[in-house]
Structure formats: structure tokens, C-alpha cells
């Protein structure tokens, strides 16, 4: 793994996610049966924290297949706008929304950092910005990310954010230690960019990606909070979790809620979630 320039982050990452879409729609991909049944399932962490979304206008950044966008729309949101940079993923999201008979969900092609330019008429139009699981590691500029969130929110509107904890991203199975625990991946305080070559997919164990090169970025917790504060969002709460919605390391086990956690004791946080409010 070697450092890379940021110039190719979007091209490489989009090609990777474009290819993943077909696997995520396949038999070993996302389970969309609850969405088709009329109430899409959210993961246990989001389900416990998101609260009532009835009547809200919601912007879902990095929506991928739109499964959470659809789930929020099915929970009574006034409208949901999903944003993603992958055309195949957005085609899948639109198809899922149409199949579920939704008229309160639409999907817009854009990367997060360009969202204000792509949605100029939506300034201050949203009650909630929602973004979760595997998002900011793909972005080189947290200040621009936070600015896009602030652009979209009305005063008093809130961000809900959940993702892998930046402490957990330091580790990787490639340098596994004794007893199946992960070894080092990259340093907590070195932002990258980091060029990775991994043909595996987090959903489909049989998938082998041709577009396996990606560029990722490490964002410490302090950087996340500083970016939000700099964009005018005040922290309401922050929580750390010893579990995650995907299997981060080979030694992790699934718990009763369907989340992945440490095999014995909660050694380190695997996920974080927060709510921040625009002044």
C-alpha cells in the first residue's frame, strides 16, 4: 500500500463502486425483501438512533443502491433526495423506489463535494441530512463535505452520521497478529491519500472486482468534529459502538442484532454515530 495523489480519487473510486453495484444486486448482495414488503429494514444502530422522520425533508448523501433512502421514505418522510456518484447505483435506486411505489423519493447524480452546485435550488431545504456506513473514507476534503451538509440544512436542521470508527480503520487483516486479531493498516494521524488494491467485496464473498484500485483517506475523530464545527454545525451527541454493520476483521462475530463485534471483549470502538445541528 502506497500513498497516492488525490487527483485520481474520484475516477478510481467511481469505477470500483460502479462495478460493485451488480454484485450488490445479486444473490449474495443486499437483502431488499423488507423494502419490497413495504417497510425497509435499517441496521440496528441507525434504527435505534434515527428517531421519527415523519414529515421531514431528507437528503441522503452517498446513497448507493438507495436502500436506506427508500426505508426512510417508507417511514413517512415528506421527501427523500438520494445523492450518489455512481450511475449504475442510482439506476438501481430509482428502480427500487419505483418497484416500491414511492413518489416521495428521487435520486441525483453527483459526488458529495459537488452537491451544492448540482442542487442549487435546495439550499436550506432539508430538515435532515443522512449519511452512513463507508462514506467519508472515500472523500479527500472534509471541509467541503461539511460545507455541503450545511448548504442543504435549514437552520435547526440536523445531520445524522454513522460510520466505521477512525480508530478501527487503523487495523487490517493483512497484517494479522496472533489469535486472529488484526494488525496495522495505516497510521491514525496520516490522512493519505492511500492507494489500495483489493478485489474483494464486503457483501459478496465470491466477488472479484476488476476495478480493484481505490483511493481512501483517513479522517481522525477530531478532524470530523472540526469540519462540522467550521461549517456551523454544533454537536448534539456522539456515540461509540463496539460493533459494525459489516464484518471488519476475520475474527469478528455476529451478535444478536446482526452486527459484527469482537469475539470476546469490546477492545476498541468499531463504529461511531453522531447528531449535529445547524445553527
Amino acid at each position: 500500500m502506497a500513498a497516492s495523489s488525490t487527483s485520481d480519487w474520484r475516477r478510481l473510486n467511481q469505477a470500483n463502486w460502479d462495478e460493485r453495484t451488480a454484485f450488490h444486486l445479486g444473490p449474495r448482495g443486499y437483502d431488499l425483501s423488507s423494502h419490497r414488503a413495504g417497510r425497509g429494514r435499517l441496521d440496528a444502530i441507525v434504527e435505534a438512533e434515527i428517531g421519527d422522520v415523519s414529515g421531514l425533508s431528507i437528503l441522503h448523501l452517498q446513497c448507493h443502491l438507495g436502500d436506506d433512502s427508500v426505508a426512510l421514505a417508507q417511514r413517512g418522510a415528506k421527501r427523500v433526495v438520494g445523492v450518489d456518484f455512481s450511475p449504475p447505483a442510482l439506476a438501481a435506486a430509482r428502480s427500487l423506489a419505483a418497484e416500491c411505489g414511492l413518489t416521495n423519493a428521487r435520486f441525483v447524480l453527483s459526488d458529495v463535494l459537488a452537491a451544492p452546485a448540482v442542487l442549487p435550488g435546495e439550499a436550506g431545504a432539508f430538515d435532515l441530512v443522512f449519511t452512513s456506513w463507508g462514506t467519508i473514507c472515500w472523500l479527500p476534503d472534509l471541509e467541503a463535505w461539511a460545507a455541503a451538509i450545511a448548504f442543504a440544512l435549514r437552520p435547526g436542521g440536523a445531520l445524522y452520521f454513522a460510520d466505521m470508527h477512525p480508530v478501527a480503520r487503523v487495523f487490517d487483516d493483512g497484517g494479522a497478529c496472533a489469535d486472529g486479531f488484526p494488525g496495522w493498516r495505516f497510521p491514525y494521524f496520516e490522512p493519505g491519500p492511500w492507494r489500495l488494491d483489493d478485489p474483494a467485496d464486503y457483501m459478496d464473498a465470491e466477488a472479484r472486482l476488476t476495478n480493484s484500485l481505490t483511493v481512501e483517506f483517513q479522517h481522525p475523530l477530531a478532524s470530523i468534529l472540526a469540519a462540522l464545527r467550521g461549517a456551523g454545525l454544533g454537536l448534539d451527541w456522539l456515540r461509540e459502538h463496539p460493533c459494525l454493520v459489516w464484518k471488519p476483521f476475520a475474527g469478528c462475530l455476529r451478535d444478536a442484532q446482526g452486527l459484527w463485534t469482537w469475539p470476546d471483549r469490546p477492545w476498541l470502538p468499531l463504529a461511531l454515530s453522531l447528531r449535529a445541528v445547524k445553527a
Side-chain angles (χ1 to χ4, degrees), residues 121-261:
E122 298 281 16
F126 295 94
D127 304 297
L128 178 70
V129 171
F130 176 88
T131 184
S132 69
W133 308 127
T135 55
I136 60 172
C137 65
W138 306 104
L139 302 177
D141 188 343
L142 280 193
E143 286 71 26
W145 169 75
I149 293 166
F151 164 86
L153 286 173
R154 62 167 176 79
L159 163 71
Y160 177 82
F161 170 73
D163 212 330
M164 189 177 195
H165 200 291
V167 166
R169 285 180 46 78
V170 167
F171 302 101
D172 183 74
D173 281 326
C177 300
D179 301 322
F181 281 84
W184 303 114
R185 189 186 198 203
F186 44 66
Y188 184 81
F189 292 106
E190 292 188 17
W194 299 99
R195 184 185 291 265
L196 307 176
D197 190 352
D198 183 3
D201 180 68
Y202 62 91
M203 287 296 297
D204 187 344
E206 297 182 21
R208 288 299 175 266
L209 299 168
T210 301
N211 294 288
S212 58
L213 281 174
T214 58
V215 179
E216 296 188 25
F217 305 87
Q218 169 71 346
H219 300 297
L221 181 56
S223 297
I224 298 170
L225 299 180
L228 294 174
R229 184 173 62 250
L233 279 75
L235 184 65
D236 187 12
W237 51 257
L238 183 148
R239 295 168 185 151
E240 297 174 298
H241 309 271
C243 49
L244 192 60
V245 299
W246 71 86
K247 189 175 185 178
F249 310 120
C252 287
L253 302 175
R254 207 158 207 166
D255 66 13
Q257 295 183 299
L259 301 170
W260 294 92
T261 189

Side-chain angles (χ1 to χ4, degrees), residues 23-78:
F23 292 111
H24 293 174
L25 293 171
R28 292 174 296 278
Y30 282 47
D31 180 3
L32 302 174
S33 58
S34 62
H35 302 74
R36 296 182 173 112
R39 187 176 174 85
R41 187 181 67 86
L42 295 167
D43 65 85
I45 292 174
V46 171
E47 187 72 69
E49 296 179 340
I50 191 66
D52 184 10
V53 300
S54 299
L56 299 185
S57 291
I58 301 175
L59 179 65
H60 182 188
L61 297 176
Q62 293 169 275
C63 68
H64 190 38
L65 301 182
D67 51 312
D68 283 352
S69 306
V70 167
L72 293 169
Q74 290 174 327
R75 280 165 166 73
K78 179 182 178 180

Side-chain angles (χ1 to χ4, degrees), residues 44 76 111 169 207 275:
D111 71 59
R169 285 180 46 78
R275 184 177 187 270

